[in-house]
Amino acid sequence: MFEVDVIIPVYKPTKKLLDLLDGLMAQTLAVNRIILVNTEKKYFDAFVQGTDFEERYKKVSVYHIKKEEFDHGGTRNYGVSLSKAPYFIMMTDDAVPGDGRMVQELLSHFEQDKVGMAYGRQIPGKDCSVLERYARLFNYPQESRIKSKENLKDMGIKAFFASNVCAAYKRSVFDELGGFTGHTIFNEDMIYARGLIEKGYRIAYEAGALVEHSHNYSGLAQLHRYFDLGVSHAQYPEVFNGVGTGSEGMRMVKAASLYVIKKGKPWLIVKLFWQSGCKYIGYFMGKRYKKLPMTLVKAFSMNREYWK
């Protein structure tokens, strides 16, 4: 039997957090503790005021940090330091378990030798747009697989693609690798995943571990998001260079175009090209952020606190 904690960074919580906690409490493989690392106590206090939160969620422990202390890698490392379990699951506060078997399906992979990380399949929410629905399918297919360093040749960046929206970790491997890289603007999960396969460990993608998570980002929001993605790739060339990031993006655009045509909505190709153009511009500028004045960097970035 696995002993597992769940660690969730929280910021300005909504009802989705309650749905997430309810889903975790109803798992077939019971979680030990749920650790919330909340940014800005005032938002959380306002959210739970007048409710029976503490009584309802007795397995939940809440720790507060200030906004200027938040960091994608460092905050998650802090959450892990609060756990003593041999396994832990990282989630985001806007993700909801798709069913009661999510935890069990994720942890089943640790029975295999050399698996140090397992991540779940993100499925679209009810209000998800057609294009975002396809993006979920493209990045999170219906077939599970195990990935290793040997897959870099045939899969490129997909070999270490993984997401902390819902990912389980073996604590001994996590400690061996030194945890997540601190002070990262983005991609702490994939930076860690690349290091993991370089050390000879494997990553499991479990399509049966369902988590509802999707966003209907505007073109401008995609530009900001992909700017930070470009910054991350520029800061960690040893992780991301030479693994075909551009070709993967083109493959996505071509496949999505065929998808909307088959769905009988060819006019969505215009929106697809607009959003793809915003992604490309954002990523292009992010990769070259060192050449930009800081005022522009902050204007383009989604995570402006990072630059303070």
Side-chain angles (χ1 to χ4, degrees):
M1 185 64 68
F2 293 99
E3 180 184 341
V4 58
D5 289 344
V6 181
I7 300 159
I8 309 168
V10 177
Y11 181 56
K12 293 184 177 179
T14 67
K15 184 181 179 297
K16 276 195 175 181
L17 176 62
L18 301 182
D19 294 339
L20 165 56
L21 296 178
D22 288 338
L24 289 175
M25 300 291 283
Q27 292 292 301
T28 54
L29 196 164
V31 300
N32 181 46
R33 291 177 65 209
I34 302 171
I35 298 169
L36 305 184
V37 182
N38 174 70
T39 299
E40 293 296 345
K41 186 174 185 293
K42 61 182 178 181
Y43 297 127
F44 196 88
D45 288 346
F47 178 68
V48 301
Q49 187 175 13
T51 71
D52 60 347
F53 186 90
E54 291 186 6
E55 183 64 25
R56 183 177 174 184
Y57 303 110
K58 292 184 178 179
K59 287 188 174 184
V60 175
S61 301
V62 185
Y63 301 84
H64 300 285
I65 62 173
K66 295 180 180 179
K67 191 173 182 180
E68 57 268 24
E69 295 175 312
F70 177 80
D71 170 72
H72 279 271
T75 297
R76 287 173 169 84
N77 284 336
Y78 171 58
V80 175
S81 74
L82 300 169
S83 168
K84 302 300 180 185
Y87 301 91
F88 63 89
I89 295 174
M90 302 296 316
M91 296 189 73
T92 56
D93 63 359
D94 59 348
V96 180
D99 58 32
R101 293 182 56 83
M102 183 196 79
V103 172
Q104 183 174 338
E105 295 287 351
L106 278 178
L107 294 203
S108 67
H109 287 281
F110 293 114
E111 296 174 352
Q112 302 179 53
D113 185 42
K114 287 293 186 177
V115 171
M117 176 185 185
Y119 68 103
R121 181 185 175 197
Q122 295 182 32
I123 57 176
K126 296 179 179 64
D127 61 344
C128 185
S129 69
V130 174
L131 291 176
E132 176 66 9
R133 190 172 295 273
Y134 181 73
R136 297 296 99 184
L137 181 62
F138 183 85
N139 288 319
Y140 302 93
Q142 297 178 5
E143 301 80 25
S144 303
R145 72 173 300 165
I146 305 295
K147 302 181 292 185
S148 67
K149 186 177 181 180
E150 285 68 36
N151 293 116
L152 284 170
K153 293 179 181 178
D154 61 297
M155 295 183 69
I157 196 170
K158 285 285 189 177
F160 57 98
F161 175 81
S163 174
N164 266 343
V165 165
C166 177
Y169 296 81
K170 190 173 185 178
R171 180 63 182 268
S172 60
V173 175
F174 186 83
D175 290 344
E176 177 189 338
L177 297 180
F180 298 116
T181 300
H183 196 55
T184 50
I185 191 170
F186 206 53
N187 265 340
E188 80 292 333
D189 39 18
M190 289 185 64
I191 294 168
Y192 176 86
R194 179 68 190 265
L196 185 144
I197 64 171
E198 290 291 343
K199 286 289 187 178
Y201 292 103
R202 296 173 179 153
I203 301 167
Y205 166 62
E206 177 48 62
L210 303 177
V211 58
E212 186 178 298
H213 179 261
S214 56
H215 294 285
N216 293 320
Y217 286 126
S218 66
L220 186 59
Q222 294 283 22
L223 187 148
H224 291 312
R225 181 175 176 83
Y226 274 74
F227 179 83
D228 288 355
L229 181 67
V231 170
S232 172
H233 285 196
Q235 291 178 336
Y236 297 94
E238 72 280 7
V239 174
F240 297 106
N241 282 4
V243 288
T245 54
S247 60
E248 188 66 17
M250 286 302 298
R251 190 169 75 87
M252 164 71 172
V253 173
K254 292 176 182 177
S257 297
L258 292 175
Y259 177 80
V260 297
I261 290 172
K262 289 180 181 178
K263 286 290 182 180
K265 298 182 178 182
W267 59 87
L268 287 178
I269 292 178
V270 176
K271 184 177 181 180
L272 171 65
F273 281 17
W274 160 248
Q275 291 198 342
S276 299
C278 289
K279 291 177 182 179
Y280 177 79
I281 292 169
Y283 181 76
F284 182 88
M285 299 298 286
K287 282 275 286 186
R288 294 155 181 81
Y289 80 98
K290 292 180 181 179
K291 298 180 180 179
L292 301 177
M294 186 52 62
T295 52
L296 271 183
V297 169
K298 290 181 179 179
F300 278 123
S301 181
M302 182 176 65
N303 297 292
R304 295 179 184 178
E305 292 292 325
Y306 174 83
W307 304 100
K308 291 184 177 180

